[in-house]
Amino acid sequence: MNRGHEVLKLRPLKLPHHQTGHLKNGLTVHLVPRGPLPLVAVRLVIRSGSAFDPPGRLGVGDFAARLFRRGAAGLSADQISESVDFVGANISGFANEESVIVSLSTPAQHFEPMLEMMSRLVLEPDFPQSEVELSRRRTLAALTNDLDDPGSLADRALVRSTWGTHPYGHEVLCGKKDVLAFTQEDLKYFHRERLGPRISHLFVVGAFDSKRVMPAIERTFGGWKGGPAEPGAIPSWGGLARPGEVLIVDKPEQTQVQLRIAGRGVPRGHADHFPLVTMNCVLGGGFTSRLVTEVRVKRGLSYGADSSFDMLSVAGTFTISSFTRTESINQLIDVVLGEVKKMREGGPKKAELATVQRYISGLYPGRLETNEAVSGAIADVVHYGLNDSWISDYRERIAAVTVREAAKAAEDHLFGLERGIVLVGNAKAIRSKVERYGPVTVWRPSELE
Amino acid sequence: MNFPREAARAITLTQRMRRHTRTRRSKTQSSMLPPALQAIADSVIEAKLPNGMRVRLLPSDAVPTCSYYTFFRVGGRNERPGTTGISHLFEHMMFNGAKKYGPGQFDRVLESSGGTSNAYTSNDVTVYYEDFMSEALEQVIDLESDRMATLQVTPKMLESERRVVLEERRLRVDNEISGLMDEELSSLLFKAHPYRWPVIGWAKDIENITREDCLAFFQTYYAPNNATLYLAGDFDPSEALALIRKYYRGIRAGPAAPSVIDSEPEHKGERRAEVRHPAQAPSLMIAWRGPPAGHPDCLVLDVLQYALAVGQSSRITRSLVYEQELAVSASVDWTWRFDPGAFTVALELKPEGDPQKAEAALYAELQKVAEQGLEPRELKKAQNNLAAHLLRELATNNGRAHSLGTYELMLGDWRQGLALPSRYESITKEQVQATAAQYLTPERRAVVTLVPLSEVGT
């Protein structure tokens, strides 16, 4: 069924009305009233993510944000959990590379008391010493236990071998040494100096009372003071830390090898965004992508294979993920590299492009179905300095990409020899087989602790 | 454990039907529903095609997309030794070509129409779904009815898909500790019931399933009278129903699927097993057989599951994870099944953790519930959370179709699903106490311990 020559007609997307305002303390507030279910989602985005963690204290922001719930404004962890859990709400805090994010999901009838609780956790965390120690012990155990999961080992090794010393390489949980070093004062310093209303946006989406919502936000977040006047800057990136190399994380008991191949990508909002996204979908996005067809359907080498662009404010990466039984690792790598080369040199075909344009456009509205999804989508637009038309015109802009633009994007952005390969598996069985792809280094899993 | 065809996507089905179909817009029978649930109940349109296929339409114009779910009443439960895993392997085969849309066409046509699909197989059911732009509805119905009517199983596609499934098994079982333990636990808890083998099947069985096995399986279990269709999203209900009738009309009903005998003997005494495998830390999985879906005690165990392990203030999370620090995480899996299924507690320990202590602490918590029930506030908290969970499930087209369809299969009627919050409300602390005391006893439990191989020096 070739629809390549048809103009893609789309039913209008009913975009929720989005209002923006500011509190006197500098906090930006975004309101999106939305039904029909009696639920509300709140998302607070503070531009102070792991990229800003200082050396020796990597991961301190995430560690602190997770502790908000374990003691604040004189309330104990049990008291907080009891009141949040009681009404069927959730509040959680964490950090990613660029932001600290605190989110609340609550039945609408409990919105105000839960917003009140959320604000106390953000404004007045106590970081009780006993909770700091407990969290440290749990975090260290989780870091160690993660070494049993080949997929997450591969992802962690990839972050290190890709970003190197760039702040985006401050993996949220960077390692035992730093976690052991956190003090209560580090956490208080982080809270006092790195968080504040002027670098923050609060998104409230759902079935709230439109008359009461702003007074409620004033009452709860209006007293928040201090912190940075503006977000910090993230330096530009010089490229892959270990270009052309092969890194094996040795797990002798594995009968399967996890594979990641990474290259340089683009920052969010790049001029080539739409051609890149459509081209990537042909390569490794959907269930009929070239990678799935070649790896899974034609050869039965794996259960899955995909490719993706990860785009952050100042830089991004392009990554392919798959896995296969130990004996087939060369075949898998050769097929994957071959497909990347073919796409870089020839671009997608017209029919392929038409397919993914409908695929991406057709499913896009599904990314705006829940309050949490809407708050996330709008938060991204704000965070990356895009505008609301990024959402409203997304489908049309995907549909407008031409074969030539997609091919150019592939030629410009897909890796050639400058790529890093990460493997997690039995090093003894695979080392000699993969030397042909570049100099090999073998790590023990514990080097990723 | 469910086995999706691919992480995070799904599929649908089709069938031919004959002559008259009755439809009715659902009448609000339970007058006690809160307004948001009542509005959903009022929107449901039901039909049954002459070939026995049940159809449920859930129109909503919030976003211009639809979700199309097909539920078949077949899963690991309907299998036999020697061909375990056939339900799941067959689920994969449903994507490999029928008469009108040949090999590779299903996903290609669907994606080029603005849709995506996936499927999963559980112990009891096989479920296919598509999410797609509304304009593609007829295309989706055509695709689904084509494969329900005329699926082709070619030797070449079967061999290729068999390799994919074996790789999936290596991923989820052989190279994943929780998969290894879960497999051990099922065969320990169930002696006679088909729940004892893994949904993905034993590797040798997967290797030996034949094309004839697949064809017989298709004839038996993929008939329209064994299927239930849910469509949720932005569509015109009368047009949609007319299309469904048109495309499924020709698919003939099959004989009733053979019934499954539950020969599970009485569980007389604790059963224990070890899994020795390279690992950083020990862990535990402990299970008891519960009641079958639809039994009133199921809902009491839902409440107990939430009180024990959902949220930081839940009993075993607070006690074992935060206060005593015996576990890094604690979770309870209580999934309703057609026949009595497993109420499973999983404890992930620290690298130097002591499984015996963790186990003893868990039993002490269960003992408390069995002796004293829950605090009134704890009970209310579980009820509130179960109600909020239902609302969140209903927030998307996909979630509405999936959850109401699952409730219909498990409880006999989707209305029972919407009525759950009020039924949870009526549960008392005495019921929780009695149910914990009845089911979660020492002599009825099965315990699997992961012994990290480095510890035993191998």
Side-chain angles (χ1 to χ4, degrees), chain A residues 1 70 82 85-86 88 137-138 144-145 148 255-256 285 287-288 303 325 358 369, chain B residues 4-5 111-112 139 167 172 175 280 312-313 322 325 328 349 384-385 392 397:
Chain A
M1 187 169 290
R70 305 298 302 171
E82 184 53 39
D85 292 353
F86 182 72
R137 291 191 293 273
R138 295 190 64 223
T144 303
N145 287 356
D148 285 337
T255 56
Q256 192 173 56
F287 211 76
T288 59
Y303 174 65
R325 53 197 176 277
R358 287 189 78 87
E369 268 193 287
Chain B
R5 165 174 167 253
E111 291 191 1
S112 67
Q139 181 66 73
E167 207 56 46
R172 295 185 194 278
N175 291 283
Q280 303 296 329
Q312 290 186 12
S313 68
Y322 288 104
E325 293 184 61
V328 177
L349 271 56
N384 287 343
N385 276 277
R392 292 186 178 112
N397 289 331

mmCIF file of all heavy atoms in Angstrom, chain A residues 1 70 82 85-86 88 137-138 144-145 148 255-256 285 287-288 303 325 358 369, chain B residues 4-5 111-112 139 167 172 175 280 312-313 322 325 328 349 384-385 392 397:
data_model
loop_
_atom_site.group_PDB
_atom_site.id
_atom_site.type_symbol
_atom_site.label_atom_id
_atom_site.label_comp_id
_atom_site.label_asym_id
_atom_site.label_seq_id
_atom_site.Cartn_x
_atom_site.Cartn_y
_atom_site.Cartn_z
ATOM 1 N N MET A 1 0.856 -1.193 0.000
ATOM 2 C CA MET A 1 0.000 0.000 0.000
ATOM 3 C C MET A 1 0.889 1.239 0.000
ATOM 4 O O MET A 1 1.481 1.593 1.008
ATOM 5 C CB MET A 1 -0.870 -0.015 1.255
ATOM 6 C CG MET A 1 -1.901 1.063 1.270
ATOM 7 S SD MET A 1 -3.049 0.759 2.600
ATOM 8 C CE MET A 1 -3.889 -0.692 1.965
ATOM 9 N N ARG A 70 12.040 11.799 52.556
ATOM 10 C CA ARG A 70 12.438 11.080 53.765
ATOM 11 C C ARG A 70 12.651 12.028 54.947
ATOM 12 O O ARG A 70 13.405 11.723 55.861
ATOM 13 C CB ARG A 70 13.721 10.267 53.497
ATOM 14 C CG ARG A 70 13.649 9.307 52.323
ATOM 15 C CD ARG A 70 12.624 8.220 52.460
ATOM 16 N NE ARG A 70 12.815 7.396 53.645
ATOM 17 C CZ ARG A 70 11.950 6.477 54.088
ATOM 18 N NH1 ARG A 70 10.811 6.274 53.430
ATOM 19 N NH2 ARG A 70 12.190 5.784 55.158
ATOM 20 N N GLU A 82 2.962 8.355 54.806
ATOM 21 C CA GLU A 82 1.626 8.010 55.255
ATOM 22 C C GLU A 82 0.602 8.966 54.645
ATOM 23 O O GLU A 82 -0.426 8.541 54.111
ATOM 24 C CB GLU A 82 1.586 8.068 56.787
ATOM 25 C CG GLU A 82 0.287 7.641 57.401
ATOM 26 C CD GLU A 82 -0.177 6.265 56.928
ATOM 27 O OE1 GLU A 82 0.664 5.365 56.768
ATOM 28 O OE2 GLU A 82 -1.384 6.124 56.688
ATOM 29 N N ASP A 85 0.670 8.531 50.598
ATOM 30 C CA ASP A 85 0.140 7.231 50.190
ATOM 31 C C ASP A 85 -1.348 7.116 50.524
ATOM 32 O O ASP A 85 -2.114 6.497 49.789
ATOM 33 C CB ASP A 85 0.877 6.091 50.910
ATOM 34 C CG ASP A 85 2.328 5.951 50.470
ATOM 35 O OD1 ASP A 85 2.722 6.651 49.516
ATOM 36 O OD2 ASP A 85 3.058 5.162 51.087
ATOM 37 N N PHE A 86 -1.745 7.720 51.630
ATOM 38 C CA PHE A 86 -3.114 7.526 52.119
ATOM 39 C C PHE A 86 -4.169 7.913 51.090
ATOM 40 O O PHE A 86 -5.168 7.233 50.921
ATOM 41 C CB PHE A 86 -3.334 8.299 53.422
ATOM 42 C CG PHE A 86 -4.713 8.099 53.987
ATOM 43 C CD1 PHE A 86 -5.054 6.879 54.572
ATOM 44 C CD2 PHE A 86 -5.671 9.097 53.909
ATOM 45 C CE1 PHE A 86 -6.333 6.661 55.064
ATOM 46 C CE2 PHE A 86 -6.954 8.887 54.398
ATOM 47 C CZ PHE A 86 -7.288 7.671 54.979
ATOM 48 N N GLY A 88 -3.811 8.044 47.853
ATOM 49 C CA GLY A 88 -3.602 7.477 46.520
ATOM 50 C C GLY A 88 -2.786 8.391 45.626
ATOM 51 O O GLY A 88 -2.892 8.328 44.406
ATOM 52 N N ARG A 137 23.299 3.416 52.235
ATOM 53 C CA ARG A 137 23.439 1.953 52.239
ATOM 54 C C ARG A 137 22.593 1.319 51.135
ATOM 55 O O ARG A 137 23.025 0.402 50.446
ATOM 56 C CB ARG A 137 23.042 1.391 53.607
ATOM 57 C CG ARG A 137 24.008 1.754 54.726
ATOM 58 C CD ARG A 137 23.743 0.964 56.002
ATOM 59 N NE ARG A 137 22.479 1.292 56.650
ATOM 60 C CZ ARG A 137 22.311 2.282 57.541
ATOM 61 N NH1 ARG A 137 23.332 3.040 57.888
ATOM 62 N NH2 ARG A 137 21.139 2.497 58.089
ATOM 63 N N ARG A 138 21.391 1.828 50.964
ATOM 64 C CA ARG A 138 20.517 1.257 49.932
ATOM 65 C C ARG A 138 21.078 1.549 48.534
ATOM 66 O O ARG A 138 21.034 0.709 47.643
ATOM 67 C CB ARG A 138 19.108 1.834 50.041
ATOM 68 C CG ARG A 138 18.414 1.450 51.320
ATOM 69 C CD ARG A 138 16.940 1.843 51.274
ATOM 70 N NE ARG A 138 16.275 1.095 50.227
ATOM 71 C CZ ARG A 138 15.402 1.603 49.377
ATOM 72 N NH1 ARG A 138 15.096 2.875 49.426
ATOM 73 N NH2 ARG A 138 14.830 0.850 48.482
ATOM 74 N N THR A 144 25.602 -2.190 43.389
ATOM 75 C CA THR A 144 26.224 -3.508 43.260
ATOM 76 C C THR A 144 25.273 -4.488 42.580
ATOM 77 O O THR A 144 25.655 -5.218 41.667
ATOM 78 C CB THR A 144 26.631 -4.035 44.651
ATOM 79 O OG1 THR A 144 27.493 -3.073 45.241
ATOM 80 C CG2 THR A 144 27.346 -5.360 44.542
ATOM 81 N N ASN A 145 24.005 -4.495 43.022
ATOM 82 C CA ASN A 145 23.056 -5.450 42.441
ATOM 83 C C ASN A 145 22.827 -5.213 40.949
ATOM 84 O O ASN A 145 22.565 -6.143 40.196
ATOM 85 C CB ASN A 145 21.722 -5.397 43.185
ATOM 86 C CG ASN A 145 21.830 -6.036 44.566
ATOM 87 O OD1 ASN A 145 22.875 -6.576 44.929
ATOM 88 N ND2 ASN A 145 20.760 -5.983 45.332
ATOM 89 N N ASP A 148 24.346 -7.251 38.045
ATOM 90 C CA ASP A 148 23.788 -8.511 37.557
ATOM 91 C C ASP A 148 22.924 -8.329 36.322
ATOM 92 O O ASP A 148 22.486 -9.295 35.728
ATOM 93 C CB ASP A 148 22.933 -9.167 38.658
ATOM 94 C CG ASP A 148 23.801 -9.780 39.745
ATOM 95 O OD1 ASP A 148 24.969 -10.094 39.461
ATOM 96 O OD2 ASP A 148 23.302 -9.935 40.872
ATOM 97 N N THR A 255 25.315 -16.246 28.213
ATOM 98 C CA THR A 255 25.219 -16.995 26.956
ATOM 99 C C THR A 255 24.781 -16.078 25.821
ATOM 100 O O THR A 255 24.579 -16.491 24.703
ATOM 101 C CB THR A 255 24.189 -18.132 27.078
ATOM 102 O OG1 THR A 255 22.928 -17.567 27.472
ATOM 103 C CG2 THR A 255 24.625 -19.141 28.114
ATOM 104 N N GLN A 256 24.619 -14.794 26.187
ATOM 105 C CA GLN A 256 24.114 -13.814 25.239
ATOM 106 C C GLN A 256 25.005 -12.570 25.381
ATOM 107 O O GLN A 256 25.519 -12.308 26.461
ATOM 108 C CB GLN A 256 22.686 -13.477 25.658
ATOM 109 C CG GLN A 256 21.864 -12.689 24.685
ATOM 110 C CD GLN A 256 20.423 -12.586 25.191
ATOM 111 O OE1 GLN A 256 20.173 -12.115 26.298
ATOM 112 N NE2 GLN A 256 19.482 -13.014 24.377
ATOM 113 N N GLY A 285 13.506 2.624 14.052
ATOM 114 C CA GLY A 285 12.464 3.150 14.932
ATOM 115 C C GLY A 285 11.279 2.238 15.130
ATOM 116 O O GLY A 285 10.945 1.881 16.246
ATOM 117 N N PHE A 287 8.530 -1.150 14.021
ATOM 118 C CA PHE A 287 8.651 -2.601 14.001
ATOM 119 C C PHE A 287 9.000 -3.126 12.610
ATOM 120 O O PHE A 287 9.287 -4.295 12.436
ATOM 121 C CB PHE A 287 7.359 -3.237 14.510
ATOM 122 C CG PHE A 287 7.619 -4.516 15.196
ATOM 123 C CD1 PHE A 287 8.137 -4.527 16.478
ATOM 124 C CD2 PHE A 287 7.418 -5.716 14.547
ATOM 125 C CE1 PHE A 287 8.438 -5.721 17.102
ATOM 126 C CE2 PHE A 287 7.712 -6.911 15.168
ATOM 127 C CZ PHE A 287 8.221 -6.915 16.444
ATOM 128 N N THR A 288 8.957 -2.246 11.615
ATOM 129 C CA THR A 288 9.349 -2.676 10.270
ATOM 130 C C THR A 288 10.624 -1.952 9.842
ATOM 131 O O THR A 288 10.937 -1.854 8.668
ATOM 132 C CB THR A 288 8.246 -2.372 9.241
ATOM 133 O OG1 THR A 288 8.000 -0.969 9.254
ATOM 134 C CG2 THR A 288 6.983 -3.109 9.570
ATOM 135 N N TYR A 303 15.876 -10.762 19.434
ATOM 136 C CA TYR A 303 14.478 -10.456 19.704
ATOM 137 C C TYR A 303 14.203 -8.987 19.390
ATOM 138 O O TYR A 303 13.098 -8.607 19.052
ATOM 139 C CB TYR A 303 14.243 -10.759 21.178
ATOM 140 C CG TYR A 303 12.912 -10.405 21.765
ATOM 141 C CD1 TYR A 303 11.749 -11.032 21.333
ATOM 142 C CD2 TYR A 303 12.823 -9.479 22.796
ATOM 143 C CE1 TYR A 303 10.532 -10.727 21.918
ATOM 144 C CE2 TYR A 303 11.610 -9.172 23.380
ATOM 145 C CZ TYR A 303 10.470 -9.801 22.938
ATOM 146 O OH TYR A 303 9.276 -9.498 23.525
ATOM 147 N N ARG A 325 22.893 -14.270 20.756
ATOM 148 C CA ARG A 325 23.643 -15.342 21.398
ATOM 149 C C ARG A 325 25.128 -15.160 21.079
ATOM 150 O O ARG A 325 25.478 -14.611 20.031
ATOM 151 C CB ARG A 325 23.124 -16.707 20.954
ATOM 152 C CG ARG A 325 23.057 -16.925 19.461
ATOM 153 C CD ARG A 325 22.159 -18.116 19.128
ATOM 154 N NE ARG A 325 22.015 -18.286 17.693
ATOM 155 C CZ ARG A 325 21.152 -17.606 16.942
ATOM 156 N NH1 ARG A 325 20.362 -16.697 17.487
ATOM 157 N NH2 ARG A 325 21.066 -17.829 15.639
ATOM 158 N N ARG A 358 3.639 8.552 8.263
ATOM 159 C CA ARG A 358 2.309 8.242 8.793
ATOM 160 C C ARG A 358 2.416 7.619 10.180
ATOM 161 O O ARG A 358 1.606 7.876 11.065
ATOM 162 C CB ARG A 358 1.557 7.299 7.860
ATOM 163 C CG ARG A 358 1.071 7.961 6.598
ATOM 164 C CD ARG A 358 0.159 7.035 5.818
ATOM 165 N NE ARG A 358 -1.173 6.977 6.360
ATOM 166 C CZ ARG A 358 -2.148 7.813 6.033
ATOM 167 N NH1 ARG A 358 -1.924 8.762 5.166
ATOM 168 N NH2 ARG A 358 -3.339 7.684 6.555
ATOM 169 N N GLU A 369 -1.853 11.922 25.973
ATOM 170 C CA GLU A 369 -3.121 11.420 26.512
ATOM 171 C C GLU A 369 -3.289 11.602 28.006
ATOM 172 O O GLU A 369 -4.396 11.796 28.481
ATOM 173 C CB GLU A 369 -3.272 9.927 26.174
ATOM 174 C CG GLU A 369 -4.004 9.677 24.875
ATOM 175 C CD GLU A 369 -4.408 8.224 24.726
ATOM 176 O OE1 GLU A 369 -3.514 7.401 24.477
ATOM 177 O OE2 GLU A 369 -5.602 7.917 24.849
ATOM 178 N N PRO B 4 5.671 -10.032 26.177
ATOM 179 C CA PRO B 4 5.282 -9.223 25.025
ATOM 180 C C PRO B 4 6.146 -9.585 23.832
ATOM 181 O O PRO B 4 7.260 -10.066 23.981
ATOM 182 C CB PRO B 4 5.556 -7.794 25.470
ATOM 183 C CG PRO B 4 6.600 -7.912 26.508
ATOM 184 C CD PRO B 4 6.453 -9.261 27.138
ATOM 185 N N ARG B 5 5.603 -9.342 22.671
ATOM 186 C CA ARG B 5 6.315 -9.646 21.455
ATOM 187 C C ARG B 5 7.506 -8.733 21.314
ATOM 188 O O ARG B 5 8.547 -9.080 20.794
ATOM 189 C CB ARG B 5 5.343 -9.462 20.312
ATOM 190 C CG ARG B 5 5.968 -9.378 18.955
ATOM 191 C CD ARG B 5 4.835 -9.336 17.970
ATOM 192 N NE ARG B 5 5.320 -8.952 16.677
ATOM 193 C CZ ARG B 5 5.123 -7.793 16.134
ATOM 194 N NH1 ARG B 5 4.462 -6.861 16.777
ATOM 195 N NH2 ARG B 5 5.580 -7.522 14.942
ATOM 196 N N GLU B 111 2.006 0.155 9.970
ATOM 197 C CA GLU B 111 2.843 1.333 10.223
ATOM 198 C C GLU B 111 2.638 2.395 9.144
ATOM 199 O O GLU B 111 2.597 3.584 9.438
ATOM 200 C CB GLU B 111 4.320 0.935 10.355
ATOM 201 C CG GLU B 111 4.577 0.146 11.635
ATOM 202 C CD GLU B 111 6.061 -0.048 11.948
ATOM 203 O OE1 GLU B 111 6.916 0.446 11.188
ATOM 204 O OE2 GLU B 111 6.352 -0.691 12.976
ATOM 205 N N SER B 112 2.478 1.942 7.916
ATOM 206 C CA SER B 112 2.295 2.935 6.851
ATOM 207 C C SER B 112 0.897 3.545 6.907
ATOM 208 O O SER B 112 0.610 4.512 6.216
ATOM 209 C CB SER B 112 2.561 2.313 5.484
ATOM 210 O OG SER B 112 1.566 1.361 5.205
ATOM 211 N N GLN B 139 -8.545 -0.139 7.932
ATOM 212 C CA GLN B 139 -7.340 -0.888 7.611
ATOM 213 C C GLN B 139 -6.991 -1.880 8.722
ATOM 214 O O GLN B 139 -6.628 -3.025 8.470
ATOM 215 C CB GLN B 139 -6.173 0.090 7.380
ATOM 216 C CG GLN B 139 -4.884 -0.577 7.014
ATOM 217 C CD GLN B 139 -4.955 -1.273 5.669
ATOM 218 O OE1 GLN B 139 -4.975 -0.628 4.637
ATOM 219 N NE2 GLN B 139 -5.043 -2.601 5.690
ATOM 220 N N GLU B 167 15.866 -16.681 21.496
ATOM 221 C CA GLU B 167 16.685 -15.540 21.924
ATOM 222 C C GLU B 167 15.960 -14.756 23.022
ATOM 223 O O GLU B 167 16.567 -14.282 23.976
ATOM 224 C CB GLU B 167 16.990 -14.639 20.716
ATOM 225 C CG GLU B 167 18.281 -13.834 20.843
ATOM 226 C CD GLU B 167 19.484 -14.719 21.094
ATOM 227 O OE1 GLU B 167 19.667 -15.757 20.427
ATOM 228 O OE2 GLU B 167 20.258 -14.360 22.001
ATOM 229 N N ARG B 172 15.256 -13.278 28.801
ATOM 230 C CA ARG B 172 14.379 -13.077 29.956
ATOM 231 C C ARG B 172 14.520 -14.131 31.038
ATOM 232 O O ARG B 172 14.087 -13.921 32.154
ATOM 233 C CB ARG B 172 12.927 -13.082 29.512
ATOM 234 C CG ARG B 172 12.577 -11.944 28.615
ATOM 235 C CD ARG B 172 11.093 -11.995 28.348
ATOM 236 N NE ARG B 172 10.706 -11.142 27.260
ATOM 237 C CZ ARG B 172 10.494 -9.838 27.384
ATOM 238 N NH1 ARG B 172 10.619 -9.270 28.558
ATOM 239 N NH2 ARG B 172 10.149 -9.128 26.346
ATOM 240 N N ASN B 175 19.417 -15.417 31.148
ATOM 241 C CA ASN B 175 20.353 -14.351 31.497
ATOM 242 C C ASN B 175 19.731 -13.320 32.417
ATOM 243 O O ASN B 175 20.224 -12.214 32.538
ATOM 244 C CB ASN B 175 20.890 -13.691 30.221
ATOM 245 C CG ASN B 175 21.810 -14.637 29.450
ATOM 246 O OD1 ASN B 175 22.957 -14.826 29.822
ATOM 247 N ND2 ASN B 175 21.301 -15.255 28.416
ATOM 248 N N GLN B 280 25.435 -10.872 42.509
ATOM 249 C CA GLN B 280 26.039 -10.021 43.535
ATOM 250 C C GLN B 280 25.420 -10.260 44.905
ATOM 251 O O GLN B 280 26.057 -10.061 45.918
ATOM 252 C CB GLN B 280 25.841 -8.544 43.177
ATOM 253 C CG GLN B 280 26.392 -8.154 41.820
ATOM 254 C CD GLN B 280 27.883 -8.304 41.731
ATOM 255 O OE1 GLN B 280 28.590 -8.137 42.720
ATOM 256 N NE2 GLN B 280 28.379 -8.643 40.552
ATOM 257 N N GLN B 312 5.898 3.677 50.000
ATOM 258 C CA GLN B 312 6.965 3.630 51.021
ATOM 259 C C GLN B 312 6.428 3.354 52.420
ATOM 260 O O GLN B 312 7.143 2.909 53.296
ATOM 261 C CB GLN B 312 7.750 4.948 51.023
ATOM 262 C CG GLN B 312 8.617 5.130 49.780
ATOM 263 C CD GLN B 312 9.508 6.362 49.840
ATOM 264 O OE1 GLN B 312 9.660 6.993 50.884
ATOM 265 N NE2 GLN B 312 10.098 6.717 48.710
ATOM 266 N N SER B 313 5.119 3.637 52.644
ATOM 267 C CA SER B 313 4.577 3.413 53.986
ATOM 268 C C SER B 313 3.914 2.047 54.117
ATOM 269 O O SER B 313 3.334 1.732 55.140
ATOM 270 C CB SER B 313 3.565 4.511 54.325
ATOM 271 O OG SER B 313 2.416 4.392 53.503
ATOM 272 N N TYR B 322 13.121 -0.262 55.061
ATOM 273 C CA TYR B 322 13.572 0.955 55.741
ATOM 274 C C TYR B 322 13.961 0.753 57.199
ATOM 275 O O TYR B 322 14.965 1.279 57.653
ATOM 276 C CB TYR B 322 12.511 2.048 55.618
ATOM 277 C CG TYR B 322 12.435 2.618 54.215
ATOM 278 C CD1 TYR B 322 11.409 2.264 53.351
ATOM 279 C CD2 TYR B 322 13.429 3.476 53.750
ATOM 280 C CE1 TYR B 322 11.362 2.768 52.054
ATOM 281 C CE2 TYR B 322 13.390 3.980 52.453
ATOM 282 C CZ TYR B 322 12.354 3.623 51.620
ATOM 283 O OH TYR B 322 12.319 4.126 50.341
ATOM 284 N N GLU B 325 16.187 -2.885 57.298
ATOM 285 C CA GLU B 325 17.193 -2.912 56.222
ATOM 286 C C GLU B 325 17.638 -4.326 55.855
ATOM 287 O O GLU B 325 18.809 -4.584 55.610
ATOM 288 C CB GLU B 325 18.413 -2.076 56.607
ATOM 289 C CG GLU B 325 18.118 -0.591 56.690
ATOM 290 C CD GLU B 325 19.383 0.195 56.969
ATOM 291 O OE1 GLU B 325 20.300 0.124 56.143
ATOM 292 O OE2 GLU B 325 19.444 0.869 58.015
ATOM 293 N N VAL B 328 16.714 -4.713 49.901
ATOM 294 C CA VAL B 328 16.848 -3.475 49.138
ATOM 295 C C VAL B 328 15.490 -3.100 48.542
ATOM 296 O O VAL B 328 15.139 -1.944 48.401
ATOM 297 C CB VAL B 328 17.888 -3.644 48.010
ATOM 298 C CG1 VAL B 328 17.981 -2.380 47.171
ATOM 299 C CG2 VAL B 328 19.238 -3.986 48.599
ATOM 300 N N LEU B 349 17.895 -8.687 48.137
ATOM 301 C CA LEU B 349 18.721 -8.409 49.312
ATOM 302 C C LEU B 349 19.965 -7.601 48.954
ATOM 303 O O LEU B 349 20.296 -7.434 47.787
ATOM 304 C CB LEU B 349 19.117 -9.730 49.982
ATOM 305 C CG LEU B 349 18.128 -10.247 51.033
ATOM 306 C CD1 LEU B 349 16.732 -10.407 50.452
ATOM 307 C CD2 LEU B 349 18.606 -11.564 51.611
ATOM 308 N N ASN B 384 -8.167 3.529 48.909
ATOM 309 C CA ASN B 384 -7.953 4.760 48.138
ATOM 310 C C ASN B 384 -7.004 4.532 46.969
ATOM 311 O O ASN B 384 -7.199 5.041 45.863
ATOM 312 C CB ASN B 384 -7.349 5.861 49.023
ATOM 313 C CG ASN B 384 -8.357 6.424 50.002
ATOM 314 O OD1 ASN B 384 -9.571 6.239 49.841
ATOM 315 N ND2 ASN B 384 -7.878 7.110 51.030
ATOM 316 N N ASN B 385 -5.941 3.780 47.233
ATOM 317 C CA ASN B 385 -4.943 3.555 46.192
ATOM 318 C C ASN B 385 -5.474 2.656 45.074
ATOM 319 O O ASN B 385 -5.139 2.855 43.914
ATOM 320 C CB ASN B 385 -3.667 2.963 46.789
ATOM 321 C CG ASN B 385 -2.774 4.051 47.333
ATOM 322 O OD1 ASN B 385 -2.019 4.660 46.593
ATOM 323 N ND2 ASN B 385 -2.888 4.334 48.617
ATOM 324 N N ARG B 392 -6.250 5.830 36.923
ATOM 325 C CA ARG B 392 -5.064 6.028 36.079
ATOM 326 C C ARG B 392 -5.068 5.050 34.910
ATOM 327 O O ARG B 392 -4.655 5.392 33.809
ATOM 328 C CB ARG B 392 -3.789 5.893 36.913
ATOM 329 C CG ARG B 392 -3.633 7.040 37.917
ATOM 330 C CD ARG B 392 -2.290 7.020 38.658
ATOM 331 N NE ARG B 392 -2.211 8.159 39.563
ATOM 332 C CZ ARG B 392 -2.217 8.068 40.894
ATOM 333 N NH1 ARG B 392 -2.266 6.884 41.486
ATOM 334 N NH2 ARG B 392 -2.160 9.149 41.639
ATOM 335 N N ASN B 397 -6.745 5.668 25.796
ATOM 336 C CA ASN B 397 -7.531 4.739 24.979
ATOM 337 C C ASN B 397 -7.032 3.316 25.196
ATOM 338 O O ASN B 397 -7.810 2.388 25.390
ATOM 339 C CB ASN B 397 -7.386 5.090 23.496
ATOM 340 C CG ASN B 397 -8.096 6.388 23.145
ATOM 341 O OD1 ASN B 397 -9.096 6.750 23.778
ATOM 342 N ND2 ASN B 397 -7.584 7.091 22.149
#
